[in-house]
Amino acid sequence: MSFEVKDKDLLGRIGKLKTKTATVETPLLFPVINPSIQPVSPKRLNQEFGFEAVITNAYILKKRYQSKPIEQGLHKFLDFDGAVMTDSGAYQILIYGNVEVTQAEIVEYQERIGSDIATILDIPTGWKITRDQAAKTVDETLRRAKEFFKTKTRDDILWVGPVQGGRHLDLVAKSAVKMSRLPFQIHALGSPTEIMESYRFDVLVDMIMTAKINLPIERPLHLFGAGHPAMLSLAVALGCDLFDSAAYALYARENRYMTENGTWRLSELDYFPCPCPKCRGAKPNDVLAMAAKEREVFLAEHNLYACKAELDRVKQAIRDGRLWEHVEMRAHAHPALLSAVKKLKVYEDFIEKYSPSVKRRGLFFLDSASLARPEVVHFRTQLRENYSPPKPAKTLLLSPQTRDKPFHKAREYQKMRRFFRKLDPERRERVHICFYDAPFGVIPVELDEVYPLSQHETAYPFDRETSEYVAGQVADYIKRSAYTSVVFLHDPQNWDNIVRNAARKACFAKRIPFESINLNVKRQKAILTRLEIILKKA
Ligand SMILES: [Zn+2]
């Protein structure tokens, strides 16, 4: 296998991809090279910017340079030492409707120039076409994929099998299932560019996830035409390993300045929000005054630094187990990105299945969007399927989460802890203490040191969806357990009535007694006296 995963978080992974020329690290961004109008040379991309791979278009090379790249070899022709991927002309089909080359010709050409990673001549689906037309692009791409395996001659090239279907998810699923039966080393998701240009990142989530669910998880996935730093972490989190982007150069030509929070027109900027070698010490006005060509190179270089810096941040986030936090941070730069993060709820089970459940660091919960995180889904499933309360426990005591953790050692819980220590053992074991917690729901006291139940920080006050989620978890827990009474310690300072009401309703439905005690720090003694009376009764 040419792809080896070293580390992962969510569906994102740091991996080693071995090509015939170089071993490169994923997630990997291939800057698009157009040899005739290239603002930054491929050699500098590698040596100064640290890009390990580039992509160029075999169709354009063939048309413009014919046999020159064959004679020199692709790497020498481009003067690039790293891995070189070639696209086949599919993008030109999308733009111009057709290309003057057959698949057999472009496959042979890629073999002769010596690409490391090469692509069949697929038919991109695009955005504004009918379902019937979309179905035709899927079928024709599949036909060509099968035909390709009869004609290819080189086995040292990694071949890409593109998945088409556009926004028609059933077609994407069909395309992915059938493509995965063919022995491609890499898959790619076609034509998301128009979707990204119209800011439909929620649709992009659907497309990527549909492809991902139906493709072999161990094969790398390339997202064609994507690589803007604002959306990179989202796509990586969904399991895209490879990206290519011409945006750095195209935007530069239009005086557009890329950042991890979006794109700015140069004329809108009074300051450069970037510490890269180009921007350090430079002023937007001075760059505006440059000659067109000089300005284009300046912006292309800054854009490349911006892409590379974000790629490195995303990799570090995977190492730290903080990719979710990173995606959320980026999502707050634009409503369309936040909509996409909210869409992850639909795919939470699949994401959880392939995410590591134990990490090196604690988790930050900012708001209800975090409820789809794999750790929350994992704990909910484990509690429901693999947990039963201690046998002698008759009374469920629900206590609010504490700011210090683990809960049972927290300062806020000290008096309660002493109270229980003083109870006679027989009575104590009839009471089962659980904490209600945002976002984990119900945490039995004996589990509160299990990762990540003590290793998370939550933003107060909780939003309504988070309270409702916890309320649902509490009600569900009461419903499926065998307690004969429930005592609820209500914390009016941090929780509204949603959780208490849900607990009361669940007890009413089971016809078991429900008692609620309002926690008020000034009346600690009265609270404990009341608790003692209630427990005696139970
Ligand atoms: Zn910069």
Side-chain angles (χ1 to χ4, degrees):
M1 187 66 198
S2 51
F3 183 56
E4 189 191 341
V5 175
K6 296 285 186 193
D7 212 337
K8 53 183 189 171
D9 192 17
L10 305 176
L11 303 181
R13 44 208 184 174
I14 293 178
K16 292 265 173 242
L17 181 68
K18 214 168 152 183
T19 74
K20 65 182 172 55
T21 309
T23 299
V24 290
E25 190 177 81
T26 71
L28 182 66
L29 176 66
F30 301 77
V32 175
I33 302 295
N34 186 340
S36 43
I37 47 165
Q38 188 55 28
V40 185
S41 73
K43 191 176 191 156
R44 287 188 59 219
L45 283 177
N46 183 276
Q47 292 179 353
E48 285 176 42
F49 295 81
F51 287 99
E52 295 179 292
V54 294
I55 184 170
T56 189
N57 190 305
Y59 173 68
I60 292 175
L61 290 188
K62 187 173 189 309
K63 220 174 141 187
R64 209 162 293 160
Y65 302 96
Q66 286 132 27
S67 62
K68 202 172 158 199
I70 299 176
E71 288 148 15
Q72 295 190 348
L74 182 57
H75 295 78
K76 185 137 183 266
F77 173 77
L78 293 176
D79 192 17
F80 188 76
D81 282 341
V84 183
M85 176 171 177
T86 43
D87 194 3
S88 56
Y91 183 73
Q92 281 64 31
I93 297 181
L94 187 65
I95 303 297
Y96 308 114
N98 208 352
V99 288
E100 302 138 0
V101 70
T102 66
Q103 166 163 276
E105 284 165 351
I106 203 72
V107 164
E108 191 202 342
Y109 188 75
Q110 292 178 91
E111 289 185 328
R112 291 184 67 191
I113 60 179
S115 309
D116 290 293
I117 303 171
T119 318
I120 66 164
L121 189 60
D122 57 320
I123 309 290
T125 304
W127 176 237
K128 288 174 192 135
I129 63 167
T130 65
R131 198 184 174 287
D132 276 358
Q133 288 170 310
K136 280 190 192 129
T137 65
V138 167
D139 291 341
E140 179 59 16
T141 300
L142 276 168
R143 193 190 66 74
R144 292 181 179 201
K146 286 177 196 156
E147 180 191 81
F148 154 79
F149 281 100
K150 291 179 204 148
T151 61
K152 74 152 185 158
T153 60
R154 281 184 76 157
D155 289 329
D156 57 348
I157 293 173
L158 303 177
W159 287 97
V160 177
V163 171
Q164 295 297 347
R167 65 198 151 106
H168 303 281
L169 300 182
D170 58 325
L171 296 177
V172 174
K174 172 184 161 184
S175 177
V177 166
K178 298 210 164 167
M179 274 292 169
S180 59
R181 289 188 194 137
L182 299 168
F184 287 107
Q185 287 96 343
I186 295 173
H187 288 289
L189 182 60
S191 49
T193 317
E194 291 161 291
I195 286 159
M196 289 187 290
E197 276 166 6
S198 51
Y199 277 72
R200 292 303 306 271
F201 295 111
D202 53 334
V203 178
L204 185 67
V205 168
D206 285 333
M207 285 172 60
I208 296 174
M209 287 310 297
T210 304
K212 197 75 194 169
I213 287 167
N214 290 291
L215 286 169
I217 197 96
E218 68 279 8
R219 289 187 196 165
L221 179 62
H222 183 112
L223 187 61
F224 270 130
H228 194 293
M231 56 73 68
L232 197 67
S233 58
L234 175 68
V236 169
L238 300 178
C240 297
D241 305 288
L242 311 173
F243 303 85
D244 67 276
S245 183
Y248 75 94
L250 299 175
Y251 283 23
R253 229 167 288 153
E254 297 162 2
N255 288 326
R256 295 206 282 168
Y257 181 96
M258 295 164 92
T259 81
E260 65 275 20
N261 293 316
T263 308
W264 272 257
R265 286 182 194 290
L266 183 58
S267 56
E268 294 170 340
L269 287 173
D270 293 315
Y271 309 93
F272 281 136
C274 172
C276 86
K278 299 305 285 187
C279 298
R280 228 169 15 214
K283 294 221 162 50
N285 267 340
D286 300 338
V287 179
L288 262 177
M290 286 174 180
K293 192 68 206 167
E294 193 189 354
R295 186 168 64 233
E296 184 186 327
V297 171
F298 180 99
L299 287 173
E301 293 192 2
H302 155 78
N303 288 344
L304 285 163
Y305 280 121
C307 293
K308 183 66 168 56
E310 179 62 6
L311 190 66
D312 287 343
R313 287 186 212 111
V314 170
K315 286 186 190 176
Q316 188 62 44
I318 294 176
R319 277 265 193 275
D320 291 343
R322 280 277 167 83
L323 187 54
W324 184 282
E325 280 89 345
H326 191 94
V327 171
E328 278 200 335
M329 201 162 62
R330 291 289 171 262
H332 281 81
H334 198 287
L337 281 168
L338 190 56
S339 304
V341 169
K342 290 184 176 180
K343 198 78 191 254
L344 300 184
K345 183 107 198 92
V346 179
Y347 304 101
E348 61 180 15
D349 290 328
F350 184 82
I351 296 172
E352 189 274 326
K353 190 175 167 192
Y354 292 101
S355 295
S357 53
V358 175
K359 293 174 174 177
R360 283 180 279 265
R361 290 183 194 215
L363 322 172
F364 291 160
F365 288 93
L366 304 177
D367 57 33
S368 56
S370 303
L371 292 170
R373 297 185 67 126
E375 297 87 354
V376 177
V377 177
H378 184 75
F379 177 71
R380 183 177 70 218
T381 317
Q382 289 295 315
L383 192 74
R384 188 180 296 153
E385 289 169 11
N386 299 323
Y387 177 78
S388 39
K391 280 257 155 58
K394 297 288 174 233
T395 299
L396 168 64
L397 181 79
L398 281 163
S399 187
Q401 74 188 89
T402 56
R403 288 189 193 233
D404 294 343
K405 295 176 187 77
F407 303 130
H408 78 274
K409 288 181 184 161
R411 203 172 32 82
E412 301 132 275
Y413 188 70
Q414 208 172 18
K415 292 233 165 69
M416 202 61 82
R417 191 164 57 233
R418 281 199 206 123
F419 168 83
F420 279 103
R421 220 179 281 149
K422 275 192 261 167
L423 280 185
D424 73 83
E426 210 176 300
R427 264 177 71 204
R428 191 171 28 189
E429 69 171 19
R430 290 168 65 87
V431 182
H432 185 216
I433 301 160
C434 291
F435 296 90
Y436 55 98
D437 167 88
F440 287 104
V442 178
I443 300 179
V445 65
E446 71 275 20
L447 298 183
D448 78 347
E449 286 184 278
V450 172
Y451 184 89
L453 305 174
S454 278
Q455 294 84 0
H456 66 282
E457 298 287 337
T458 310
Y460 290 81
F462 318 125
D463 59 24
R464 176 128 190 135
E465 288 93 332
T466 304
S467 296
E468 278 169 359
Y469 174 80
V470 175
Q473 291 305 301
V474 165
D476 190 46
Y477 182 74
I478 293 174
K479 204 164 107 190
R480 58 169 201 271
S481 55
Y483 303 110
T484 54
S485 68
V486 173
V487 181
F488 189 89
L489 303 181
H490 180 54
D491 169 13
Q493 216 186 341
N494 294 311
W495 293 86
D496 51 26
N497 287 323
I498 300 175
V499 181
R500 180 170 59 177
N501 291 349
R504 178 183 286 131
K505 225 170 131 185
C507 290
F508 184 76
K510 281 189 83 174
R511 297 172 192 283
I512 57 171
F514 173 84
E515 296 278 357
S516 169
I517 302 176
N518 244 350
L519 291 181
N520 184 329
V521 191
K522 288 180 201 136
R523 293 171 46 243
Q524 281 275 2
K525 213 166 169 194
I527 292 166
L528 296 178
T529 314
R530 172 107 201 274
L531 182 59
E532 193 164 8
I533 296 168
I534 292 171
L535 293 181
K536 242 179 213 164
K537 240 182 7 191

